[in-house]
Amino acid sequence: MSHQEALTKYLAAFITGLVQAGVKDVVISPGSRSTPLALMFSEHRDVRVFMNVDERSAGFFALGIAKASENPVGLLCTSGTAAANYYPAVIEASLSGVPLIVMTADRPHELRDVGAPQAIDQLHLYGSHVNWFAEMALPETGMEQFKYAKTTARRAVKEALGQNKGPVHLNFPLREPLLPVLDPYPFNEEEESIAIEDGILFLPHGKLKNIAEQLKGKEKGLIICGPIEEHDFTEAVTILAKKLGFPILADPLSQLRSSSMSETPVIDSYDAILRTEEAATALKPEVIIRFGGMPVSKSLSLYLKKQMDAEHYVVDNGSRWRDPNYSGTTMIHSNETAFCTGLASLIVEPHSLNWLSKWLEMDEMAKKVIAAHMELTEELEEGKAVYELVDLLPVESTVFVGNSMPIRDMDTFFHKNNKNITVMANRGANGIDGVVSSALGAAVYKRPLFLIIGDLSFFHDLNGLLMAKLQKLNINIILLNNDGGGIFSYLPQYGEPRHFEILFGTPTGLNYEHAVQMYHGMYTKILDWEGLKMAVLDAVSYEGLNVIEIPTDREKNLSSHREMWKKVSQEISLLLQDVE
């Protein structure tokens, strides 16, 4: 058997293993050393290949596909620094639990560390940010080698889909010649697969019963839901909260704010409520049950730090230690939905609803104040842009949210609704890089999709727009342009005006219309609120890349937010006095 025949059979076995394990999409960046893998993936009838010429964008694009499809996605590049450009996306995938199968082509061993071109040390390149690393054997003949390649592929998917989902890294040393034999069709579609049976992690009945006993008589409790992607969780945690009489403080990424379920005990204005010192002091919980990652709200985080006397259960479907405040008293490794369902079945005695009623009353009061403030806001302002957008979004749509101010405005202004809107974001490392690419990756499976993003994050990933053009993807980008880093105006750095603008404000003064035109997109600049309404309504039926830019003023944004929070605090304080 020739080298090329062995190469073909070896890689065919590997790719067959990936496909049998559920990999359907592969994102490839061009390169020479990765030629045999790229050609073989492109030849497979059941693999959809996306070519992305920018590796940094490619990594985040694959991440977006994986988040939206909930399936592992392959990611392939050539040797050298191409692989290093995947690093930011690999880190995000690791911290946010997204399954990526990262495949890097490499020089064979005899060309390493001898000055060969495009050769770097790729072994364990991503360090602890991958669930598993394997240096693949050089392609050779023999049934044992083919079984090895196929089994390694299956294991890679298993490792990516473990209790803690995340990326894996496979490094492929490949010798020339690099062209596989594509004729006849190199894949055997009747090849036997390897069965892998997975279950879910759950607490034994006895331990759940102990927790139910501990919750007896506890009337003042909170359920905190941060970013979480767990099927059937919304219904399960809602049933548990109603039985306990506990409010659910739900981050927008918990998927609890937009649901067809009626009369949910969800509190969505807690960020504004807990900015009121009297509220944060008066609302002392006896018990806290937390699911998912940490919510975005700073005021909630500060509030939780002070609740050192409360029993604090942290529930996580894996072995992660999600307790940055060091306030957890019981760490529970269990499937979140199974935990809620099991515990709810053991809650027999009805709990008092006084505590829940107090939270719901404050929540309604805060939302009324926010709504009144928005009505009076005539100038273009970022918070109102998000507030208005919620009403304009179609049912079953998806919103991808950028970091820094957009996700915080989503937290403040995305209130409960029954539209079943999916909210997505890259909140693993909370970076502003790769957001456009991730949203476009999600657009492969989600439609209609809206991206809400700030101007610096948009600039950071302009290259990502190429995928909209090449793949004919549909995306509506709401570009909030305050000409700089708006988030820093809310931080202590704002108190150092001498160097603030050049170091933190970082205005660019760019005209993004030209960039959108370069990628053959539609561009609309908003001049008033009626213009936003018309642009969003038109966007639903638009095909392709559509950018709606909303110019805002950083100083006015800051003063508007502060004025709104002050009004909320005043009303909440009065409400608490009346209760007393």
Side-chain angles (χ1 to χ4, degrees):
M1 186 181 293
S2 70
H3 165 76
Q4 286 175 283
E5 289 173 324
L7 176 71
T8 303
K9 287 185 176 294
Y10 178 87
L11 296 182
F14 173 81
I15 292 172
T16 297
L18 288 184
V19 173
Q20 288 178 345
V23 175
K24 301 175 182 177
D25 301 302
V26 177
V27 180
I28 299 175
S29 295
S32 177
R33 188 61 53 169
S34 54
T35 292
L37 276 163
L39 286 173
M40 294 287 286
F41 274 122
S42 299
E43 191 69 13
H44 200 290
R45 294 169 183 150
D46 296 325
V47 173
R48 178 164 50 171
V49 168
F50 298 89
M51 177 56 67
N52 192 322
V53 298
D54 179 344
E55 283 85 7
R56 189 173 79 159
S57 172
F60 282 103
F61 184 74
L63 183 140
I65 296 176
K67 285 172 77 80
S69 67
E70 300 182 22
N71 279 323
V73 173
L75 186 59
L76 171 66
C77 72
T78 190
S79 63
T81 56
N85 281 293
Y86 284 162
Y87 211 162
V90 169
I91 291 172
E92 176 62 32
S94 175
L95 295 176
S96 56
V98 178
L100 294 181
I101 313 299
V102 183
M103 296 162 284
T104 55
D106 200 355
R107 292 291 197 262
H109 302 78
E110 66 270 16
L111 293 180
R112 297 178 185 176
D113 200 26
V114 291
Q118 205 170 320
I120 67 170
D121 184 359
Q122 296 177 195
L123 303 185
H124 297 282
L125 181 62
Y126 307 115
S128 61
H129 293 291
V130 291
N131 288 1
W132 184 57
F133 167 78
E135 162 86 328
M136 296 295 292
L138 284 158
E140 295 179 11
T141 61
M143 188 57 64
E144 187 173 329
Q145 284 296 96
F146 303 151
K147 283 185 176 181
Y148 154 77
K150 183 179 178 182
T151 302
T152 303
R154 292 302 303 261
R155 180 181 174 185
V157 175
K158 175 187 176 296
E159 297 287 352
L161 292 174
Q163 292 295 341
N164 292 327
K165 294 180 181 178
V168 299
H169 176 205
L170 303 174
N171 194 57
F172 282 83
L174 298 168
R175 288 195 179 108
E176 297 179 346
L178 298 170
L179 291 177
V181 180
L182 302 181
D183 190 17
Y185 186 65
F187 300 99
N188 179 5
E189 294 174 340
E190 297 180 357
E191 197 168 320
E192 183 180 352
S193 64
I194 304 167
I196 297 177
E197 300 293 340
D198 286 318
I200 64 170
L201 191 65
F202 63 92
L203 283 186
H205 178 79
K207 291 190 176 182
L208 277 173
K209 193 173 181 179
N210 288 339
I211 294 173
E213 287 292 327
Q214 293 167 15
L215 293 176
K216 270 188 178 180
K218 299 286 177 67
E219 296 184 0
K220 296 181 178 181
L222 293 174
I223 294 178
I224 312 291
C225 294
I228 186 169
E229 297 173 12
E230 172 64 36
H231 288 294
D232 303 320
F233 176 73
T234 296
E235 181 178 1
V237 75
T238 300
I239 292 172
L240 175 63
K242 286 181 176 180
K243 281 203 167 188
L244 291 170
F246 292 177
I248 303 174
L249 277 55
D251 184 89
L253 293 172
S254 69
Q255 313 307 328
L256 282 160
R257 295 194 187 184
S258 187
S259 164
S260 56
M261 294 186 68
S262 59
E263 299 182 7
T264 63
V266 166
I267 307 297
D268 50 27
S269 295
Y270 55 83
D271 179 74
I273 293 169
L274 294 175
R275 289 174 185 270
T276 308
E277 189 172 340
E278 293 92 333
T281 302
L283 300 169
K284 300 282 289 184
E286 300 168 286
V287 60
I288 298 167
I289 306 173
R290 188 163 63 79
F291 300 93
M294 281 298 294
V296 68
S297 170
K298 182 72 171 179
S299 61
L300 175 59
S301 180
L302 292 173
Y303 167 76
L304 291 176
K305 279 184 178 181
K306 297 176 182 178
Q307 310 310 318
M308 300 308 293
D309 295 330
E311 290 291 320
H312 195 145
Y313 300 89
V314 181
V315 185
D316 187 85
N317 184 28
S319 57
R320 288 166 294 199
W321 196 271
R322 288 176 160 176
D323 187 26
N325 293 336
Y326 297 98
S327 56
T329 57
T330 305
M331 309 300 287
I332 299 173
H333 293 156
S334 169
N335 175 273
E336 295 88 351
T337 301
F339 175 85
C340 291
T341 302
L343 184 59
S345 69
L346 297 172
I347 306 297
V348 179
E349 297 178 8
H351 285 226
S352 169
L353 299 180
N354 293 335
W355 168 261
L356 173 59
S357 297
K358 182 188 293 187
W359 274 94
L360 289 171
E361 188 178 3
M362 286 188 294
D363 192 50
E364 286 303 311
M365 174 65 73
K367 281 190 281 196
K368 285 180 181 178
V369 175
I370 291 170
H373 182 77
M374 292 295 99
E375 286 295 320
L376 297 174
T377 304
E378 297 181 355
E379 291 189 68
L380 295 178
E381 192 260 336
E382 292 165 24
K384 184 166 182 176
V386 174
Y387 184 84
E388 293 288 327
L389 188 63
V390 175
D391 287 335
L392 298 173
L393 289 172
V395 174
E396 305 285 346
S397 56
T398 297
V399 180
F400 207 106
V401 188
N403 285 315
S404 295
M405 280 310 297
I407 188 64
R408 286 168 173 80
D409 280 332
M410 199 72 174
D411 190 26
T412 302
F413 299 105
F414 183 70
H415 295 151
K416 287 185 287 186
N417 60 79
N418 60 1
K419 289 185 173 183
N420 285 322
I421 295 169
T422 300
V423 183
M424 304 175 71
N426 287 344
R427 292 298 292 172
N430 301 356
I432 66 169
D433 48 346
V435 175
V436 173
S437 296
S438 294
L440 280 164
V444 172
Y445 281 91
K446 299 287 188 179
R447 183 175 181 184
L449 186 139
F450 292 79
L451 167 62
I452 304 175
I453 191 170
D455 57 291
L456 285 186
S457 187
F458 186 66
F459 167 75
H460 233 272
D461 196 23
L462 278 177
N463 284 0
L465 294 176
L466 181 63
M467 293 304 286
K469 175 182 178 294
L470 295 181
Q471 301 295 332
K472 296 180 171 55
L473 297 174
N474 300 312
I475 186 171
N476 300 293
I477 299 177
I478 311 298
L479 173 58
L480 303 173
N481 189 354
N482 59 34
D483 195 24
I487 184 67
F488 292 106
S489 298
Y490 297 80
L491 300 178
Q493 294 92 314
Y494 185 69
E496 297 293 336
R498 192 188 318 171
H499 304 293
F500 179 81
E501 270 303 281
I502 191 169
L503 293 178
F504 305 105
T506 58
T508 59
L510 296 176
N511 184 343
Y512 290 106
E513 180 178 6
H514 301 309
V516 177
Q517 290 176 348
M518 182 170 71
Y519 293 105
H520 298 187
M522 172 73 77
Y523 170 87
T524 304
K525 191 167 190 175
I526 301 303
L527 301 177
D528 52 39
W529 295 118
E530 184 63 26
L532 175 64
K533 179 179 179 180
M534 297 304 298
V536 174
L537 292 176
D538 290 342
V540 177
S541 58
Y542 184 78
E543 298 285 326
L545 170 63
N546 181 29
V547 177
I548 301 169
E549 180 178 352
I550 305 175
T552 66
D553 183 280
R554 269 187 277 133
E555 289 295 323
K556 292 179 180 178
N557 282 330
L558 177 63
S559 61
S560 176
H561 278 69
R562 285 179 171 173
E563 183 183 352
M564 180 194 69
W565 288 324
K566 182 179 179 181
K567 291 177 181 177
V568 172
S569 292
Q570 290 171 344
E571 293 298 323
I572 294 295
S573 296
L574 290 173
L575 182 63
L576 287 171
Q577 289 174 12
D578 291 341
V579 171
E580 293 173 0

